[in-house]
DNA sequence: GGAATATAATTGACACGTCAATCATTTCCG
DNA sequence: CGGAAATGATTGACGTGTCAATTATATTCC
């Protein structure tokens, strides 16, 4: 209680910045996602999955590897693959050599959708993110992200981590 | 094609920064939300609603005003109030003077939950956001947010806005 | 070999968000 | 007045995310 670091709470100004920061990044994410969806019919989740499969050997990946690649929980991926399967963007196959495994396989339709999406998506990132900042600010964004990420990883992000 | 501004697409480095930035802010948001939930049983949505009601005259607000205050769509608020009502955090009443209106009223239980939540929530914001950055970086975060927000508002965030 | 355990993936229940109806009341105006 | 349009709010359908089981196969080790 003695050793409590400077202000237990954020100052008014810090709080204002926090709210602004989190709301703005949220709006940015939503705007990019909306553009992607309207221009290609893909959600950002779809895009991540298709990107990973496109870059994978033979357009196929074991479910758990795919989850690790894009940083998703297993059950989230499972639900999402179910929806993508229903839409014909991917196909599920049994994993040869390990019968409990499953592989997600890129379909022609999935590959086509991904290719239709990529150019407009990159353009949206440039227009809404890069073009809104000076080069110095883009650099600052990178440093900010790195600092926050390091801090999160060390200081424990989760709820149960302390 | 001649007049195309500097790189139609983000550079490799810009793209790396974009991904890092968006993933990190997402992880930060998730971490703060998880802390809030585990420490108080409230979601960030609950918190926003309770904050607005707490600050309102008599702990009550007309539904549409509440939506405007916290920047939500009406239907989103309606769904959320339904869930909060079921949990006893707020109560719905008819709006005197305009029978199509509805008011959300803070219950004792809602007020108590909010008060239990606020200190740990502010602490989490300090620990996970403010403490992860130098004072200069906090300032940079504010400027970044302002720049991105301005750009989003002018350059059209939505999908249909061009 | 065969039970205990670990691993891979799916499932179900539920919270949350968006969009497009829908319903009720009020307001506008001829 | 009375019907058309505007306004306030809710609802339903569906995509998405999390958590806690559950199912199925592999591995381990006695």
């Amino acid at each position: 209680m003695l050793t409590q670091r400077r202000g237990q709470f954020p100052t008014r100004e810090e709080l204002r910045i926090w709210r602004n920061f989190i709301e703005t990044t949220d709006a940015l994410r939503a705007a990019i996602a909306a553009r992607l969806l309207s221009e290609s019919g893909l959600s950002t989740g779809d895009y991540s999955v298709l990107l990973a499969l496109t870059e994978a050997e033979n357009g196929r990946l074991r479910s758990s590897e795919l989850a690790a690649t894009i940083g998703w929980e297993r059950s989230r991926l499972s639900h999402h693959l179910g929806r993508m399967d229903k839409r014909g963007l991917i196909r599920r196959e049994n994993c040869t050599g390990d019968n409990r495994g499953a592989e997600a396989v890129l379909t022609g339709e999935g590959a086509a959708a991904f290719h239709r999406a990529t150019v407009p998506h990159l353009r949206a990132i440039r227009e809404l993110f890069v073009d809104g900042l000076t080069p110095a600010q883009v650099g600052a964004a990178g440093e900010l992200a790195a600092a926050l990420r390091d801090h999160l990883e060390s200081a424990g992000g989760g709820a149960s981590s302390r």
Side-chain angles (χ1 to χ4, degrees), chain A:
Chain A
M1 205 187 290
L2 246 203
T3 52
Q4 203 79 28
R5 251 217 3 64
R6 115 106 205 288
Q8 168 147 212
F9 302 132
T11 64
R12 224 166 249 288
E13 176 64 1
E14 285 165 345
L15 194 55
R16 191 187 64 73
I17 289 178
W18 157 256
R19 285 207 230 277
N20 233 280
F21 183 73
I22 214 64
E23 278 166 19
T24 301
T25 55
D26 217 23
L28 177 58
R29 175 194 346 284
I32 297 262
R35 284 268 284 253
L36 179 61
L37 186 61
S38 83
E39 288 167 348
S40 72
L42 298 179
S43 70
T44 57
D46 299 334
Y47 190 87
S48 296
V49 168
L50 294 177
L51 172 60
L53 287 181
T54 298
E55 287 176 344
E57 202 68 25
N58 291 81
R60 64 172 56 221
L61 266 179
R62 182 116 179 219
S63 206
S64 48
E65 284 167 27
L66 177 49
T69 300
I70 60 183
W72 284 14
E73 288 190 11
R74 239 85 94 69
S75 93
R76 176 181 177 186
L77 181 60
S78 192
H79 283 299
H80 205 93
L81 289 181
R83 292 186 294 262
M84 291 181 76
D85 191 348
K86 208 178 329 182
R87 290 191 290 153
L89 297 172
I90 60 110
R91 204 173 58 240
R92 275 159 149 151
E93 285 185 12
N94 284 344
C95 184
T96 62
D98 187 342
N99 285 324
R100 58 222 208 285
E103 280 185 337
V105 187
L106 193 60
T107 62
E109 200 178 332
F114 180 70
H115 285 122
R116 271 198 312 277
T118 163
V119 162
H121 184 49
L122 291 176
R123 183 156 41 221
I125 291 169
R126 184 183 58 75
E127 286 180 13
L128 299 186
F129 178 66
V130 179
D131 284 356
L133 302 175
T134 65
Q137 284 176 322
V138 173
E143 282 163 32
L144 222 60
L148 287 172
R149 176 173 298 240
D150 286 353
H151 186 64
L152 264 188
E153 271 160 15
S154 67
S160 50
S161 54
R162 194 202 330 23

